[in-house]
Amino acid sequence: MKNRKSFLIPIAVKLITISTIIILVTITVSTAVVSGIIRNDVRITAENNNLSLNQHAASEAEIFINSIITNTGLILNLGEFGENSANSTKSKKQNDIFDSMPNIAAIVVPSFAKVVNQQYLQSLGLTENDIDRFIQNEQSNFERAEHGEIILLNASPFFNCNLTALLMPVEFADTQEAVLALFSCESLADTFSSGTNKVLMVNSYGDVIVSDNLSQILDGKNIVNTKIFSIIEKSQSRQQQLIYTDENQNEYFASFSKLLNGELCIITQIDGEIVFEALNRALQQNKWLDISILCAAILFVWFFAKTITFPVETLKSAAQKIKQGEFDVKIDVKSHDELSLLAKSMQNMSTGLAERERLKESFGRFTNTQIAEKAAKGELKLGGEKRYISVCFADLRNFTAFSEKLQAEEVVRFLNKYLERMIGCIGTTGGNVDKFIGDAIMAVWGAPSGISPKQDALNAITAAFLMRYALIELNKTLDGHQIKNGCGISSGEVIAGQIGSSERMEYTVIGDTVNLASRIEAINKQLATDILISEETFNLVKDEIIAEEMPAFFVKGKEDAIRLFAPVALKNTAGTPLQDIEQVENIEQLRNILGYKAPDFTKVDINEEEKKYKIKK
């Protein structure tokens, strides 16, 4: 699975987000709580005011209607009827009556009486004939009134002026007649006017009798199909206050009072938007204030976050340098909080890592890098383990005679130059230098860690090939001196581990495989070769190299002769350190390059080892 690069969210963004959420939640909750309390208070106040207005309007309407009924009865009781009386418009008594009741246009008992306010009718542009036509038009309602009903009608659409008709039963000489009182409710409309609250007086048919909007009366507006009228019809209460939503989903605060046994109803109501207009306006203004506070808070948090992100960026930069192996870093964090403690801890860690790296580097000069790394991590302990390795011994030829001609400093200088090249060849192929034995090198592939027996063996042989060509290049710089060496390689199981005591230890490998490699290295001189490998090593890599089998040798510690092979070249150098080096194809070409003469194998003593000593006679 491919590693996904994590998406980093800056600390400033996190702080701003958290602060914004906290502020928004606080503002939202506090606004909701406060507005809820205020809204409830406003609602209660609106309901109480509307109820008070309704009670007042109902009281005024009741007084007004009762005055009409009373005055109608008073006029009828005067008894000034008859044909002469009805036609005598200048009658002083009638004029006195209408002077006290200027809003009454006429009082009519169709069967025998008609009292008309001629002056008022003329101001309205009406005549008695208009009244007669109205009576004729409302015959059905007159019949209902004769049977005891009180009926209130909006006569304004008929007369095209603001007039209301009241039909009610009246007793005359043991007969019940219907009397019509035709009057104006303008004075009542003036008392209903209340600004934001709307007051209506309607009859049982839903006709608007009184309203502050005269056009509604003249047009004969009817509210029978409205939500409020439906509620009033279904309600058994004489008086009630309520909140309802109309057909357009508008909320209203309403109150109603029923008069004249339900024939008349006073409705007061106010639009909910008007009730909460001031509150909503305050909330809107508060919203802009909240936005301003939020913006100021974001700016404050942003600048505050810089006091955190700047030290964090410094620590991040230092951590990146440490990750890349640059341990000598200077961490300058001046904040007086946990970040300064973290900076000090990171500075101490950096110093410790730098010291550890210097120690590892210094230690690695005396041993191999892998051993130094494991030792620094505390992974090497006293004791050993079995491992399958390939081991190589590389030794200079006749170096003792060569070094006797040089000063000590020149000997050390030459050895360092030689060993630097040889160690480079070993390191390039993943090998580890186990130890230096004078001018000889012991190197191991497969311990403390390896790839596979075959690959470790092939790497050891590749390193020997690199040593061969590195020595050829080195000889070109020695002013005619030709230095030769020999390499012996063997593969097999060994004991690898820390050998020594708890006070002084050395990581090495021991076993017959190591001894065999040392013995094989010494045989190179007799066979005029520079590299020899054991049979087991050859079996591991025979498909990868060109090699020639040499005569078998008896070596110390072995009862049977061992088979030896002289590797000449790799069959395929692509992708290896040898890919840019032109290799030889056979042992003869190799000996020509190295300046070796082919040996006479009939004269070679297979039991002889190279002796680095002789006894003085």
Side-chain angles (χ1 to χ4, degrees), residues 18 95 103 281 319 321 329 351 437 457 512 555 581 589 603:
I18 293 172
N95 288 337
N103 59 329
R281 186 166 57 249
K321 291 180 179 180
V329 295
T351 303
I437 309 169
D512 185 60
V555 297
I581 299 176
Q589 290 182 6
K603 297 180 180 181

Side-chain angles (χ1 to χ4, degrees), residues 293-447:
I293 293 174
L294 181 61
C295 292
I298 290 174
L299 288 176
F300 175 78
V301 172
W302 176 264
F303 287 111
F304 174 75
K306 287 297 183 181
T307 64
I308 298 176
T309 56
F310 182 76
V312 169
E313 286 295 330
T314 302
L315 294 175
K316 175 185 174 183
S317 177
Q320 289 291 341
K321 291 180 179 180
I322 293 173
K323 180 181 178 181
Q324 295 169 2
E326 185 181 343
F327 301 118
D328 290 324
V329 295
K330 179 67 175 178
I331 305 175
D332 186 16
V333 175
K334 297 180 181 180
S335 61
H336 301 285
D337 51 22
E338 289 85 349
L339 289 175
S340 63
L341 297 178
L342 178 60
K344 291 179 181 178
S345 298
M346 186 173 287
Q347 183 70 72
N348 294 335
M349 179 190 71
S350 174
T351 303
L353 288 172
E355 186 64 30
R356 176 177 175 270
E357 190 67 16
R358 284 192 291 270
L359 179 62
K360 186 177 75 172
E361 183 179 350
S362 299
F363 183 44
R365 294 180 180 181
F366 296 95
T367 181
N368 64 71
T369 305
Q370 290 188 30
I371 301 300
E373 184 68 28
K374 288 182 175 292
K377 294 179 179 179
E379 297 177 359
L380 292 180
K381 298 180 181 178
L382 191 63
E385 60 178 345
K386 283 186 178 182
R387 295 196 68 89
Y388 193 99
I389 68 163
S390 290
V391 59
C392 171
F393 277 85
D395 191 14
L396 283 172
R397 294 284 175 260
N398 300 319
F399 180 69
T400 302
F402 172 74
S403 62
E404 287 179 351
K405 301 176 183 179
L406 302 175
Q407 297 294 324
E409 294 82 0
E410 294 176 323
V411 173
V412 172
R413 191 180 302 115
F414 169 77
L415 274 179
N416 288 339
K417 187 183 296 186
Y418 164 76
L419 292 175
E420 183 177 1
R421 285 166 171 75
M422 300 303 109
I423 293 171
C425 298
I426 295 169
T428 299
T429 56
N432 297 312
V433 175
D434 184 280
K435 60 174 65 66
F436 298 112
I437 309 169
D439 55 8
I441 304 171
M442 174 183 169
V444 178
W445 286 260

